Structures are given as C-alpha cells and as structure tokens.
C-alpha cells in the first residue's frame, strides 16, 4: 500500500464531466489499496473571472484582499470534487489551505511555503478517507489567506508529498508526459520514461511548459518522486527523480524558445569593469539576461552581446542608451527575430562532442548559429527565428533518432 | 464615538455599482468617528448558482461539502467590498468566519452559533480599520466550515454586535424600515420609529419578511439594539429594542398571511383525550399547527378545527384519515382558500377591547371571520382569501388611521 499525492490542474476540473473523470481516476487509485491525497486548482477560467470582478471595482486592490478573493476558486473545486467522489460512494473530505496548516510567508500573491503540519490530513487518512486539498493557497502567521502565485498548485502537491513522505507525487496534465521535444513540431518526438530533476529544470526553463520549476526545485530538495501524466489518457507518464537509469540517449530533450531577443554593444572600450557595468545595471532593473558573449572587436575594442526575453527588450535598450557613454560603446544593435534551440541531458557531461554533434546537425541544414552558451547539462544556440522549427527537428533526429 | 455593526444582504452587494454604494455608506459612518464592523452576504444569486453547480455533480451532496462550497459566496463579497473601500482610501480588512473565531455546532447547513471570540476583530478595530466580516458562516470544533442557514447573515451581525457590545446593529435592506402594514397593499401604512423585540418577532412570523426571527431572538437575548434601514435611501429606519417609548398607537402593525389552510374534524366523540390524539399525532410528524378551535357540535359531538401552512395541508389530511376512526370523527373537511389577518402590539395587553375593535372593522366591511386566536400581543383571524386585502386596509385604518 502506497501513499500517493495526485494533482489536477484547472482544465482537468473545468466542468462537471471532467470532475467526474477525475473522481474516477482518484477512486481507482484508492481502490487499488492506496492512501490518496488530491490537490486541485481552480476550475478553468475561475481565477481570471475573479480577477476581472475585482478590477471592475478597484484596478489596484491590495494583494491581501486579492488573495482572499482568489482562494475561493480552489475552495469551490475541492468541494465539487468531493461531491463527485461522494456520488461514487467513497469516503472523502475536502480541506482548504488553512485547514491543512499550510503556512507561508506574507507575500500575498506569490507566497512561499514555510511549513505544513498536515496533521489534519494524517488524521483523515487514518480514517481511510480520500483527502482533497485546495492547491495554490496557504495562510501567513497572522492567519491571513495567501496564494502561492504561478505553479502554486504543483508546489502545494510536492510540499504535501514531502511532508507526508508520499511514495509518489503525480501531476496530471493535458499531455501524456515529458517529451524529447514538442510533439506538434517534431514528428519523431517521444515520451520519456524518466528524467532527472536537473534535466526537468533545464527543460522547463527552456519552454517545455509541463511542470513549473518551483515544484521541481522543491521535489529535488526533498527528494520527492514526481510523475507527469495525462488526466485524459490512462498510460504511464514520465517519472521525475534524482537519478535515472542509464539509457543510450545522450540527451533527454530538445527545446525551442521564441521569447528571446539579442542586444549587442559594439566597440566597447577594452578596459576593466565594462562588462560589470553593463550587467550590474541590468540586474538593478531586474532584467534577466540569458546568453552572454564578449568578443574581441576591431580596433582594440570589444563587442558585448546578450539575450533577454522579448518583454525586456525595450527596457534593456533604454538602459543601454543611458550607459552607452559610460562604457564607451560606439553602437547599440538589437535583433528580435531570433530563436533559442537547446539540448538538455545529464548524459552530455560525460560525453565530449555533444555540442559538436548539435552544431553538425545545424550545419547539415545550412542553419547559421549567432550565439552559443553551454552549461553542465545543456547547450543552447541562438539562430534566426524562421529556422527554428527546421532546427528543432534536425537536432532532435540527430540525437534521438527517427 | 460608537461601535456600529452594519449588515448588508445579497441584493445590496449584487454588483460593482451596489458595492460602491455600500462602501460609501460604510465609510460615511466611519468618517463620523465610529468604529465600524460590516457583515455581508453572498452577492445576489451566487448561492443559488453554487447550489446548481453542486447538483449538476451530485443531487445529494453531504452538508459538510455543501457548506465548504457555499461559504465561498460570502468570502467573495467581503474581498470585493474591502477592495471598494480601499479604492475610497480607507483602512480596511476582510475576515472570514473562521478568522473571526465564529464557533458553531456541527449541524452543517443550519448551524447554531455557540461562541465567538472576535479577538481578531478587536485587534483590527484598535488599528482603526474598517472590518468586513463574512456573514452566514462559522466553523465547528473540528475546524470544518459550517453555514448558518436562513437568516444567517442577520444572525452573524447580531452575534458580533453582542460580543463586541456594539451600540447598534444596523440591518440594511431594500425597504426603509418596519411598516405598520405592507405599503404595497395598504395606502396608509407608515414606517415605525420603534418596535419591541416581541412585536418584531410576532410581525416577522406573520409574514413581514424584514428581519429573520433568529436574529431578533438573539438580539432580545443579548439586548442588542437593532435598526432596520434602507441601503438605497438615506433616511432613519426602525429601531428594534426591549422597551419602546409610549405611543398612542395600541397596535404596532397589521399583517396578512396567505400561506394558510384550514382543516376540520367534524363530529369527534365527546370523550377525554380526543384533542390530545389529534395534536400529538401532528407533532410527531413535525406538522406545525397555528390556530386551534374546538367547538360543541350537534348531537353531543365536538368539531375540532386547526390551521396549517399550505405545504402541510396534504400530510396533515393524510394523517387525519389515519386517525379518523380512533377519534371517532364523522367527517374531515378542509379549505385552502383562506387568509390570516393579524394585529400585533404590546399596547393591546393593557387595553381591553382591542380584539373587539378589530372585529368591528371587519364587520363594517361585511367580512366574515372563520377562526380567531389571540396571544399576549397578537390577535389573528382567519377569513376568506379574497377578502384579505380589503381586511388589511380596514383593520389598519381602524387602528392606525388614515
């Protein structure tokens, strides 16, 4: 008998029919002899509807009152799911964030979990009940309701799995698992049986929107085994854990990210502190920089290039104009029409030539590389946006095969 | 400086515009130097919508999960009202039932308040905040959410006024106060300045749907001064309290109730225990009986008549058929086409002839009386339904004047 935490997102509980589907999945797991804790998000568009309602009244409400409002979305979901499970004749109880003792800091709207007693959950599990918990919400030390922000329900599920020492934290989504690449664009993409936390983190940050990084980071910290699987198709999903069994694959996935823009400062003075000035200015404005390259320019100056998200392009350009004279740059150029293609895999650390093999795949398709960056388990390149899909397929098939 | 509890019902907070109106009323009171605690119900049709949502999934959900679901309605209202008050620039905080320590028994769906610490409210009032509290809800000793059932938000407001020793508990409604009769039917009906708890209780039970009896009973018990007033028209309302100043009026109000039916057992044996058998049988089936009359029939038998609500007519008739032989009744007759007209007023106890004056008013209009019942502060008569409106005006104008 295992203890399993199951998390269902907003689209999985969007209406009566889908709630009934979730109720069947949950009770199937219970009937197999497992203890089951279920975490649910607000139904479909509920959160957006509540935000619209608030803005009708006040376009700048306090975060505290916003959280008071938004937390009702999950409370509605847990009650309805409990009713659906009652109808199937199983013992069930729904619990809100405060009822399970989900303590957070006071950053309403993006609170971090501090601790969770889960006493009530244990006592209900002892009574053989299926326990439904509201995701996304907690309370601070004053008993005010807080919400956890993006990826909040995944994080609730992992936190409960950690506290309860659950055997697995299943995250149900609308895809069947984690794929080697986007199946809509790469015909040969296939589902992974397993992936490590670190690989999942790199993939998630590269645009594979299956799991939110926060939840994976917490799973890694507390060694919670996760499984990503479909709430609509009953097949095994992808297991996320610390160490995966050896596979012949060098890389675990290929990702594409179009939300990227390139900025270059040309002809920067070749003096100490120039790069420091550029990137500390960006950091002060909270502009995240991804790839950074500094190269020797002509006439003894340097060219400093970096990539940012498209939303950050204009603020970053404004900032560069301000410091242009300080760093003695001759010219600022930028390019929005770029894409980032990345390969991720713990396997590449031990195998030289992985990056070269990626470059070869692009060369074979005559795709030009503008920037390159590498980490322990990742290689990313910046290319023209129009080449992105061809590049994705070429790199995927080179490593993972047809 | 006073401490004032203000309660606003669902129609007063139904949309953004009405919430803004309530926010202005509340902040006006605050600006006059008062401490203000506001109790709100769920917006307009929210509760009905949530019930429909539940029944789509399970037509017989547990009361516990129903309360988990329904309590979100008030939580949405308090957050939105707090945002409306924030927009006006006043310090405000919203609190749920559990956050204010509203402890109830475990009868989900119709819980009774057991105690309320109100610590959090006091601490927020000390910080000069306007405190918005979710009506209708509490928690039981297991920390499960409960709802108070009909009239719940009024009861929340009176309970808080009692615990906080508030100077007044204002119940805002869509009428301007308590009237001597229904103003839509009695042209000369006028608003009362004051009314006693007992008179209010009699009037409420007679169909003047302004305040729910539960809240008036609690106000009487803890001597909470209430005021019924309009959330749309800014004029003084009606004060409800223990003793009212003497007025020349003998009666405080005239009420009409159409939800009544008459049953008569004809020719019941003139033996001890016959009435006992009839009414204990009705009590065992939880059928409330209002007026009871026993009269000498022909041939040494008795006729026993009583009135019930229209919903209870059929079950009461079925029961009478069952016991007809036991009480040796010859015939059962019934009549749905009746109305009850009542006069209420503490003044009538000390004045003989009040009942007679009522009968005179009806006689002058040739309205026949079928049954009569009296209490300390009330006289009710059963008449033909088609005479009800004429009777209402006649009795009202006889006592209260044109």
């Amino acid at each position: 008998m295992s203890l399993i935490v199951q998390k269902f997102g907003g689209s999985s509980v969007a209406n009566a029919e889908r709630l009934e589907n979730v109720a069947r999945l949950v009770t199937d797991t219970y009937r197999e002899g497992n203890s089951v804790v279920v975490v649910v998000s607000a139904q479909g568009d509920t959160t957006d509807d509540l935000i619209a309602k608030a803005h009708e009244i006040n376009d700048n409400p306090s975060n505290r009152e916003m959280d008071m409002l938004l937390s009702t979305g999950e409370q509605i979901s847990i009650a309805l799911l409990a009713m659906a499970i009652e109808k199937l004749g199983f013992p069930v109880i729904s619990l809100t964030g405060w009822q399970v003792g989900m303590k957070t800091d006071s950053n309403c709207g993006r609170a971090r979990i501090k601790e969770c007693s889960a006493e009530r959950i244990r006592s209900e599990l002892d009574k053989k009940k299926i326990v439904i918990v509201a995701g996304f919400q907690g309370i601070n030390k004053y008993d005010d309701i807080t919400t956890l922000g993006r990826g909040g329900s995944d994080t609730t599920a992992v936190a409960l799995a950690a506290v309860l020492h659950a055997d697995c934290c299943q995250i149900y989504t609308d895809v069947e698992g984690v794929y080697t690449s986007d199946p809509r664009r790469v015909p040969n993409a296939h589902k992974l049986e397993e992936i490590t936390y670190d690989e999942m983190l790199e993939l998630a940050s590269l645009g594979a929107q299956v799991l939110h990084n926060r939840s994976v980071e917490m799973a890694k910290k507390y060694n919670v085994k996760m499984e990503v699987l479909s709430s609509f198709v009953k097949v095994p999903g992808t297991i996320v854990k610390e160490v995966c069994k050896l596979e012949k694959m060098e890389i675990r996935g290929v990702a594409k990210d179009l939300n990227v823009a390139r900025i270059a400062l040309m002809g920067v003075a070749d003096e100490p502190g120039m790069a420091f000035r550029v990137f500390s200015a960006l950091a002060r404005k909270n502009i995240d920089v991804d790839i950074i390259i500094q190269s020797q320019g002509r006439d003894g100056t340097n060219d400093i290039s970096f990539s940012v998200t498209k939303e950050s392009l204009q603020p970053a350009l404004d900032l560069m104009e301000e410091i242009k004279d300080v760093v003695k740059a001759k010219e600022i150029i930028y390019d929005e029409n770029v894409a980032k293609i990345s390969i991720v895999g713990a396997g590449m650390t031990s195998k030289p030539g992985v990056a070269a093999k990626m470059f070869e795949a692009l060369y074979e398709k005559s795709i030009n590389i503008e920037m390159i960056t590498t980490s322990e388990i990742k290689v990313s390149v910046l290319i023209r946006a129009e080449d992105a899909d061809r590049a994705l397929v070429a790199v995927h098939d080179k490593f993972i095969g047809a």
Side-chain angles (χ1 to χ4, degrees), chain A:
Chain A
M1 193 190 108
S2 302
L3 170 52
I4 295 177
V5 175
Q6 303 186 314
K7 181 258 169 180
F8 296 90
S11 67
S12 299
V13 295
N15 55 42
E17 193 189 320
R18 292 197 178 175
L19 277 164
E20 282 157 16
N21 175 50
V22 169
R24 274 191 300 273
L25 282 170
V26 168
T27 53
D28 283 352
T29 310
Y30 178 85
R31 224 171 9 205
E32 287 160 10
N34 303 296
S35 296
V36 188
V37 175
V38 184
V39 174
V40 282
S41 305
Q43 291 186 291
D45 300 326
T46 307
T47 305
D48 290 341
D49 292 347
L50 289 170
I51 291 172
K53 236 176 151 130
H55 285 162
E56 218 187 312
I57 286 163
N58 185 337
D59 44 23
N60 189 24
S62 67
N63 290 332
R64 185 203 181 270
E65 297 301 338
M66 204 60 174
D67 281 2
M68 175 67 93
L69 181 69
L70 294 184
S71 62
T72 61
E74 284 74 25
Q75 192 173 329
I76 291 171
S77 290
I78 57 172
L80 293 177
L81 179 57
M83 291 174 188
I85 291 174
E86 281 176 351
K87 197 179 175 193
L88 298 179
F90 291 85
V92 63
I93 189 163
S94 71
L95 297 170
T96 61
W98 64 268
Q99 286 174 330
V100 303
M102 186 65 73
K103 299 282 177 65
T104 72
D105 62 24
S106 288
N107 286 311
C108 287
R110 52 191 171 85
R112 312 293 294 193
I113 295 172
K114 296 184 77 170
E115 57 172 298
C116 178
S117 65
E119 267 173 51
R120 180 76 191 265
I121 297 180
R122 281 196 194 90
S123 117
E124 300 296 345
L125 289 176
D126 287 346
K127 294 178 203 153
K128 300 292 172 205
K129 286 194 188 168
I130 295 169
V131 179
I132 316 287
V133 179
F136 185 70
Q137 60 181 241
I139 46 167
N140 68 11
K141 63 182 170 182
Y142 307 107
D143 277 356
D144 289 331
I145 294 173
T146 56
T147 68
L148 307 181
R150 287 203 57 196
S153 291
D154 286 6
T155 309
T156 302
V158 173
L160 291 178
V163 171
L164 297 166
H165 304 291
D167 296 280
C168 187
C169 179
Q170 296 182 325
I171 308 288
Y172 284 83
T173 66
D174 49 6
V175 296
E176 291 178 29
V178 181
Y179 279 74
T180 52
S181 195
D182 183 346
R184 287 166 303 180
R185 298 186 193 281
V186 180
N188 294 320
H190 66 261
K191 190 171 64 186
L192 294 164
E193 273 179 57
E194 297 182 341
I195 189 169
T196 67
Y197 299 121
D198 287 335
E199 288 169 337
M200 191 67 233
L201 285 169
E202 288 284 11
L203 271 183
S205 64
L206 294 171
Q209 299 293 346
V210 186
L211 286 180
H212 200 274
N213 265 5
R214 249 173 105 180
S215 62
V216 181
E217 278 161 16
M218 186 180 279
K220 178 175 153 75
K221 187 169 171 188
Y222 295 102
N223 201 20
V224 171
K225 189 173 93 179
M226 299 176 84
E227 182 178 5
V228 179
L229 67 179
S230 164
S231 49
F232 305 109
V233 187
K234 209 167 179 178
V235 292
T238 300
I239 303 283
V240 189
K241 55 185 192 173
E242 186 58 47
V243 180
C244 291
K245 61 174 183 259
L246 284 168
E247 294 184 64
K248 60 180 185 302
M249 280 189 287
E250 293 161 313
I251 69 162
R252 202 69 74 171
V254 184
K256 178 184 81 169
D257 188 358
L258 289 176
N259 185 14
V260 59
R262 189 172 72 91
I263 296 177
L265 296 175
M266 312 298 284
V268 174
D270 186 16
E271 295 169 16
M274 293 299 115
F276 162 73
R277 280 178 196 158
V278 170
F279 294 105
S280 62
L282 288 162
R284 273 198 303 275
K285 295 275 182 187
N286 280 315
I287 298 171
D288 270 339
V289 172
D290 184 18
I291 307 178
I292 298 174
I293 286 174
Q294 179 172 323
S295 58
Q296 200 79 40
R298 286 141 302 180
D299 56 54
T301 62
N302 292 320
D303 297 342
I304 298 178
S305 308
F306 57 91
S307 69
V308 294
T309 60
K310 285 201 163 64
E311 304 86 66
S312 297
L313 176 62
Q314 197 53 53
L317 284 175
D318 294 345
L319 197 59
M320 291 305 105
E321 280 301 335
E322 281 177 34
I323 63 165
K324 187 179 172 188
D325 292 342
V326 180
V327 299
K328 298 169 190 165
K330 294 203 176 71
E331 195 187 355
I332 299 166
I333 60 174
Y334 70 94
D335 186 354
E336 280 189 278
N337 194 25
V338 289
K340 186 167 68 173
I341 300 292
S342 306
I343 55 175
V344 172
M348 72 173 66
T349 49
S350 56
K351 297 212 179 177
V354 169
K357 193 167 163 185
M358 181 185 191
F359 305 154
E360 183 187 11
L362 297 170
Y363 168 71
E364 285 168 1
K365 301 287 175 191
S366 305
I367 295 166
N368 196 39
I369 300 170
E370 304 197 356
M371 294 173 87
I372 299 170
T373 184
T374 62
S375 80
E376 287 286 296
I377 62 165
K378 182 190 76 169
V379 179
S380 297
V381 297
L382 217 66
I383 59 172
R384 306 306 307 157
E386 58 266 29
D387 293 331
D389 284 341
R390 282 199 308 129
L392 197 64
V393 174
V395 173
H396 183 272
D397 289 357
K398 187 81 174 182
F399 282 95
I400 297 170

